[in-house]
Amino acid sequence: MSVRELVVLGSSSAVPTRHRNHNGYLLRWDGQGVLFDPGEGTQRQMIMAGLAANDITWMCLTHFHGDHCLGVPGLVQRIARDGVAHPVHAVFPASGARYWERLRHATPHRESDVIVETPVAGERATLATGDPFTLTARLLSHPVEAYGYRLEEPDGLTMLPARLAELGVRGPLVRGLQEDGRVTTPDGRAVTLEECSVRRPGQKVAFVMDTRLCDGVYELAEGVDLLVIESTFLDEEAALAADYGHLTAGQAGEVAKRAGVGRLVLTHISERYRPSDEPRFVEQAARVFDGEITLVHDLDRIPLPPRRAPH
Amino acid sequence: MSVRELVVLGSSSAVPTRHRNHNGYLLRWDGQGVLFDPGEGTQRQMIMAGLAANDITWMCLTHFHGDHCLGVPGLVQRIARDGVAHPVHAVFPASGARYWERLRHATPHRESDVIVETPVAGERATLATGDPFTLTARLLSHPVEAYGYRLEEPDGLTMLPARLAELGVRGPLVRGLQEDGRVTTPDGRAVTLEECSVRRPGQKVAFVMDTRLCDGVYELAEGVDLLVIESTFLDEEAALAADYGHLTAGQAGEVAKRAGVGRLVLTHISERYRPSDEPRFVEQAARVFDGEITLVHDLDRIPLPPRRAPH
């Protein structure tokens, strides 16, 4: 199950349109499925995308505005109905715990005990570490308390065959070196893994939703392979964006540039824009950022960029 | 705005499918809009149907299972956001008031004060009387407390031109007769409206959702022009239907026949059935009921049958 992709379930902002459902994003990461911000209708969008409740292992809410969480009741009920047996970690701002309670227990149903509630508070929180990823939350700046999320795969090591041969590490010794980090060659030389390998950077993804520009945005985005970021408005509406605590396409491009991201994914598009306006989002981001830029559509599947070269 | 039609926003039962959204039905009745059982995604289905929050004047929930009410939070928030200025009467089983509270206040938003909460309790309740319709609720039989609804237009009178001429009611006297119910003709005769008119039956609609067969079903359906009724299962699954408190297609036909309804509308179809199974719903109902039968699809618009002939 070595699939790593972002499945876009919805991409509107506060008001859905004929073309865009309310938010919803499933990041498939090998056997894990991190569902970000399930808005109303996410349950059915998952069916449209060929996904099931069983594919969810994490549910991360950035904040409690309706377009980011009104899909929770339906999903919680599906998780129970479908008998999901693995833990589903539900992460949300602790300040909105009373809203979480209402969503989780919105209507009578046979409740599941697999949901593990993990409220986050403070400026930063680490939710998981190590394998298969480290998941962190970072406070952002929006009219209600909002967090962005970042996943990081641990860096690995790639062995260099030429170097192994040069040092006399052959056959079963290679495996020993990999497992123990050091071996002794037949001619008595102690060899460490470090001296015959290079660092293989782990993949990194950031999910930045509903915020004005702030330090947290840059911290989350720093060096990620894939940055999924709200771009509610075009640059012409920068004043509105600031008032409502949102980003423009150009600001998203600016973040991608300064943070050195691999691929920039724009979403959370205001209903004021027509499909014919959409190319302008990419144009405005591309004035600043010269990497790959995608304005998403519902049911898009966006693969993680290939792992960066070892160094 | 003399439109009377049922707009089908969704028609699945507990689990939506690619083809059927969760429940949702807007009965457009002249200037009124009665929204029955808004399931998750109803907000967006309304957009697909070209309807707005402003078209809703009543919101009637049969019961608090998720597929009949998880659209409430989104709609309540849209009613506020769109500045709906007229009252929206929200009707729901009083026994589920705590669920109503969670749905209405699911997440932080600028609340609207146009929503008029009308919990119903007991076996029967009258929610509105007279013009443009009398709206009643009747207790049904389901694992959680559930009500069906019935709308009745008051009967009217249609004047008979031949009879008016015969009795010497002419010119402005006709209007006088209509307004006052009686006039005196130039030759001194007292004429009443009744003696020169026939009764024009008002239109009637029943909405019967999530119930096993019980007296309430027949009481709601009695003599209606349009019966919208759940038909979750085919007759082969009659045992399942009884266990879960649902109806089969044949039972829906039986109700339509015994109650003498005009048009039978089947909905709330279990996700176990494929589109290729659908003709069998109509076949099974038609074995019993020989009137018009429709198995709905999402976004269908079903006009009320023409008013029955005066008599």
Side-chain angles (χ1 to χ4, degrees), chain A residues 142-200:
Chain A
H142 195 54
V144 302
E145 193 172 81
Y147 286 85
Y149 295 95
R150 177 181 170 105
L151 280 90
E152 298 187 48
E153 177 185 38
D155 288 344
L157 290 172
T158 295
M159 286 197 272
L160 301 167
R163 186 81 180 123
L164 290 171
E166 187 188 326
L167 295 170
V169 181
R170 291 186 192 82
L173 288 183
V174 176
R175 182 154 177 194
L177 181 62
Q178 204 162 20
E179 288 177 356
D180 304 330
R182 58 190 308 127
V183 285
T184 304
T185 60
D187 59 2
R189 192 187 332 195
V191 175
T192 65
L193 186 56
E194 285 68 27
E195 61 185 314
C196 31
S197 59
V198 288
R199 198 175 65 90
R200 185 194 62 193

Side-chain angles (χ1 to χ4, degrees), chain A residues 6 29 62 103 106 120 125 129 132-133 137 140 146 246 256 276 282 284 291 294:
Chain A
L6 181 80
W29 185 289
T62 60
L103 296 168
V120 295
T129 50
F133 48 65
L140 295 172
H246 285 297
S276 59
V282 175
Q284 293 187 352
T294 304

Side-chain angles (χ1 to χ4, degrees), chain A residues 75-135:
Chain A
L75 287 164
V76 163
Q77 297 185 18
R78 275 310 289 277
I79 285 167
R81 185 184 180 92
D82 294 357
V84 172
H86 56 249
V88 176
H89 302 272
V91 186
F92 51 85
S95 61
R98 70 184 179 286
Y99 298 114
W100 171 261
E101 283 297 305
R102 292 174 195 174
L103 296 168
R104 179 167 180 186
H105 308 291
T107 66
H109 66 282
R110 197 167 45 235
E111 304 251 351
S112 167
D113 60 3
V114 301
I115 294 171
V116 183
E117 298 181 356
T118 310
V120 295
E123 193 159 280
R124 291 179 191 78
T126 299
L127 303 154
T129 50
D131 186 32
F133 48 65
T134 291
L135 176 62

